[in-house]
Amino acid sequence: WTSIGRLNVAGYRIRRHCTGALVAPDLVLTAHHCLKAIGDGEWAEPSKVHFLAGYSRGEFRAHRTASGYIPLGPDSALVRLSAPIDLPVLPIYDGALPTSGSALAQAGYSGDRSHVLTIDPTCSFLGTRPGGRWRHDCEAVSGDSGSPLLIDRPGGLSIAAIHVGRIDGVGDAEPVNAAQIAAKQ
């Protein structure tokens, strides 16, 4: 779990956080909307974006600022870190689309418990929305944006999608593509 961290964006008048997951020593997967500029502009200034790997109650395993961004999908992006982190990375799922009811797990820094990683180990894939986004029933709220939706495989957990919000009370996630992320490294 140390490869999942809190992604903080700080500015003069505002502070916010999301969740990110280390997918390469110098790349963090998160939701694009988490990296929006405070005020005007497409992206937040990288020096104002901090990734705290394994964050828990003020302690963390590693801290890096962003050095840039790589857009992936409509609401997914990679954060290029200022320096690599020597922690295990989470692999990206490369299997078939899950069937309705397939088991998922979700781990993030929920707004209601923002200083500890909360894990929903028993949620499910509910199908796809038009455009390919996933529907899920994981307990994800504000702060969980960018958190990985994980599938358990024989080799361990892998990231299949990231939580990006809720639509009509149902979780909304953007699936991630292993080949696309590998090409960005």
Side-chain angles (χ1 to χ4, degrees), residues 6-22:
R6 193 169 129 148
L7 194 72
N8 296 327
V9 180
Y12 176 68
R13 293 186 176 180
I14 192 167
R15 291 181 186 195
R16 66 177 184 257
H17 80 273
C18 284
T19 302
L22 197 62

Side-chain angles (χ1 to χ4, degrees), residues 24-81:
D26 65 340
L27 291 174
V28 171
L29 176 65
T30 193
H32 182 167
H33 73 262
C34 294
L35 305 169
K36 292 285 188 185
I38 297 167
D40 295 333
E42 173 70 12
W43 300 96
E45 181 182 320
S47 66
K48 297 192 183 314
V49 176
H50 300 262
F51 179 65
L52 305 171
Y55 177 79
S56 180
R57 295 184 173 105
E59 303 291 323
F60 46 87
R61 296 287 304 272
H63 168 247
R64 301 288 187 277
T65 57
S67 66
Y69 311 110
I70 304 167
L72 291 174
D75 198 5
S76 60
L78 294 169
V79 176
R80 174 88 53 202
L81 298 176

